[in-house]
Amino acid sequence: MVRRKALGAVALGAAALTLGTLPAQSAYAAAPGSAPAAPAPATAPAPVRTSAPAPAPDTAALRAVLQRALSQGAPGAMARVDDHGETYRVAEGVADRESGRQISTADRFRIGSVTKTFSAVVVLQLVAEGDLGLDISVNHYLPGLLPDDRITVRHVLNHRSGLWDYTNDMFQQTVPGFEAVRNKVFTNQELIDRSLTRTPSPAPGTAYGYSNTNFVVAGMLIEKVTGESARSAYQSRIIEPLGLDSTKYVHPATAIPGRYARGYLTPDEAGAPLVDSTRQTASWAQAAGAMISDPADLNRFFSALLGGRLLRADLLAEMQRWAPTNAAGTQHYGLGLRRRDLSCGVSVYGHTGTVQGYYTYAFTSKDGKRSVSSLANTSNNGNVLVTMAGTLEATFCGSGSTGSGAGGGSGAASVSGTPAAEAPAAEAPGTDAPERGARLAGVYEDIAPGIARN
């Protein structure tokens, strides 16, 4: 029997569930069919530490990062920081190249793979309710979907399933690949079938390998267990309770409602004009990357998540069982959640997003009390992708930080706006696309190689 969400018992109404009133661990403190949350300790509270306060966000450094992104080809770039009740907004360039309208932190945009964190939260809520088990085979819930019964729910959330990322083939050529799917509506099964043209490799659980296919599977699990669409699950479980008024799952509609920044896709051919990629179904991404939001909503979401307001404490801890994703050991992945270790010794938590025309960084502090969401309205431009990581350094390390925007790796602008090191030069357009994408992804970010063009 399909079990439905259990939010009603704790009255998670949108009006009552603002960040100020949302109780820690919310609906998932003692869900049926799962282990109870650990009892509160009987001992006295630990003494308050007397360490120096974190430096304030450096808005001048933020502006320098955004200006550098513009110099590298982004039409516009912006960032919003929410810090213990204070808000900082910085924006440079345009939201619309044709009209010249200035970009603003009030603009909505396509958040790409930041969607994965929303999907992971819903899956983990279903684990809390006893409807899913992290270490149970996906095929137990979706019989015959995958060719290997050893692939578990955990494996798809932490990218250790071995499932091939179908976008590697779909976007071998940047603009032609995009135009072929811009208005197409896929079923989840069609996307899975594209992945399964390649045998899963390596064996489940043995190696990390970022793949959009994993979160298509996650979306299918959500729909099977709840008996409703992924859109409805996001809406009732996250969007309405948190009051995320600008966050939408509009798939398969092609338009972004309300005020928004247009997105511009960089072609493979050097010097070719940018392509306006704003209108698209994003059906190729679905639960892996089809959501729309704005910086205020993303900051609220990640603040609520790391603040313990969306998941039971033990499941938030499961979300933060990390695997390193870069050679420097400064980037890690958990269950639909990233960790970045910055130059000042601070770790931040969130996700990056890449979808045609948009690069997003959305991260928060360990306690969820300082958050930043930044956007450049271009994509397939590796230099811009690296540079925008500098918004994390400027936000969390503050004035005087000399760390690179890539969280300690090479190839990023420093937060002062002076190049710490130039990103690797773009490879020739004739280079084989999947291999080129894989190399760029290794340098810049562990995003899917199929959309990691330079």
Side-chain angles (χ1 to χ4, degrees), residues 61 65 68 326 330-331 340-343 348 352 361 363 374 383-395 397 401-421 443-445:
V65 170
R68 181 165 175 78
N326 69 337
T330 58
Q331 299 177 23
R340 285 286 189 105
D341 300 336
L342 304 181
S343 66
V348 293
T352 49
Y361 283 83
F363 284 80
S374 59
N383 294 326
V384 172
L385 174 61
V386 170
T387 289
M388 290 298 292
T391 60
L392 306 183
E393 293 278 341
T395 298
C397 295
S401 170
T402 57
S404 71
S410 63
S414 72
V415 296
S416 67
T418 303
V443 172
Y444 298 125
E445 178 61 84

Side-chain angles (χ1 to χ4, degrees), residues 341-368:
D341 300 336
L342 304 181
S343 66
C344 56
V346 170
S347 294
V348 293
Y349 308 85
H351 216 287
T352 49
T354 301
V355 65
Q356 289 91 352
Y358 302 92
Y359 281 141
T360 303
Y361 283 83
F363 284 80
T364 193
S365 57
K366 181 68 173 178
D367 60 5

Side-chain angles (χ1 to χ4, degrees), residues 116-138:
K116 289 180 172 69
T117 310
F118 285 79
S119 299
V121 166
V122 173
V123 169
L124 289 169
Q125 289 177 350
L126 295 170
V127 170
E129 293 162 20
D131 292 325
L132 289 173
L134 277 175
D135 297 307
I136 295 177
S137 171
V138 168

Side-chain angles (χ1 to χ4, degrees), residues 27-364:
Y28 306 99
S34 58
T43 56
V48 176
R49 293 186 178 182
T50 58
S51 58
D58 188 339
T59 55
L62 272 174
R63 190 172 300 279
V65 170
L66 304 185
Q67 290 172 342
R68 181 165 175 78
L70 264 61
S71 75
Q72 294 169 329
M78 46 93 152
R80 170 177 168 139
V81 179
D82 288 290
D83 179 26
H84 295 78
E86 297 288 333
T87 298
Y88 306 83
R89 302 175 181 87
V90 185
E92 293 285 333
V94 300
D96 186 330
R97 298 176 72 216
E98 185 173 343
S99 70
R101 181 177 72 78
Q102 293 282 304
I103 199 168
S104 163
T105 57
D107 289 335
R108 294 173 178 171
F109 49 89
R110 298 188 182 279
I111 66 173
S113 288
V114 181
T115 304
K116 289 180 172 69
T117 310
F118 285 79
S119 299
V121 166
V122 173
V123 169
L124 289 169
Q125 289 177 350
L126 295 170
V127 170
E129 293 162 20
D131 292 325
L132 289 173
L134 277 175
D135 297 307
I136 295 177
S137 171
V138 168
N139 283 348
H140 174 77
Y141 304 104
L142 299 165
L145 178 69
L146 303 179
D148 192 331
D149 288 340
R150 295 175 297 171
I151 298 173
T152 67
V153 174
R154 186 189 300 275
H155 292 150
V156 299
L157 295 185
N158 66 12
H159 295 295
R160 288 177 173 266
S161 68
L163 293 170
W164 171 255
D165 190 337
Y166 56 86
T167 66
N168 294 337
D169 300 319
M170 188 177 282
F171 301 124
Q172 283 190 31
Q173 293 183 299
T174 293
V175 175
F178 168 65
E179 294 294 357
V181 301
R182 179 198 283 262
N183 297 305
K184 188 171 177 59
V185 177
F186 292 97
T187 65
N188 286 315
Q189 186 64 59
E190 286 174 329
L191 297 177
I192 297 297
D193 289 345
R194 283 175 173 248
S195 170
L196 296 183
T197 60
R198 308 287 187 98
T199 302
S201 178
T206 60
Y208 173 88
Y210 191 91
S211 173
N212 284 302
T213 308
N214 289 315
F215 278 80
V216 174
V217 174
M220 295 177 76
L221 287 167
I222 290 168
E223 294 185 346
K224 177 63 179 290
V225 169
T226 64
E228 61 187 13
S229 67
R231 176 195 290 108
S232 295
Y234 299 138
Q235 190 72 27
S236 62
R237 292 172 172 272
I238 301 174
I239 294 171
E240 290 178 0
L242 293 180
L244 306 182
D245 295 335
S246 291
T247 303
K248 313 287 181 186
Y249 185 78
V250 299
H251 170 267
T254 60
I256 301 176
R259 174 177 175 149
Y260 59 89
R262 303 195 74 85
Y264 297 95
L265 177 61
T266 306
D268 289 328
E269 299 78 18
L274 299 178
V275 173
D276 188 327
S277 54
T278 310
R279 295 185 69 93
Q280 58 168 299
T281 62
S283 191
W284 64 267
Q286 306 231 15
M291 294 185 80
I292 292 162
S293 191
D294 71 2
D297 275 11
L298 292 181
N299 286 353
R300 180 179 288 256
F301 169 65
F302 281 107
S303 177
L305 175 58
L306 270 293
R309 299 179 176 96
L310 288 171
L311 292 174
R312 206 174 61 204
D314 61 315
L315 290 172
L316 183 57
E318 289 287 345
M319 204 175 198
Q320 297 176 73
R321 292 179 62 177
W322 306 110
T325 64
N326 69 337
T330 58
Q331 299 177 23
H332 300 76
Y333 207 91
L335 302 182
L337 188 69
R338 297 191 187 282
R339 187 184 99 204
R340 285 286 189 105
D341 300 336
L342 304 181
S343 66
C344 56
V346 170
S347 294
V348 293
Y349 308 85
H351 216 287
T352 49
T354 301
V355 65
Q356 289 91 352
Y358 302 92
Y359 281 141
T360 303
Y361 283 83
F363 284 80
T364 193

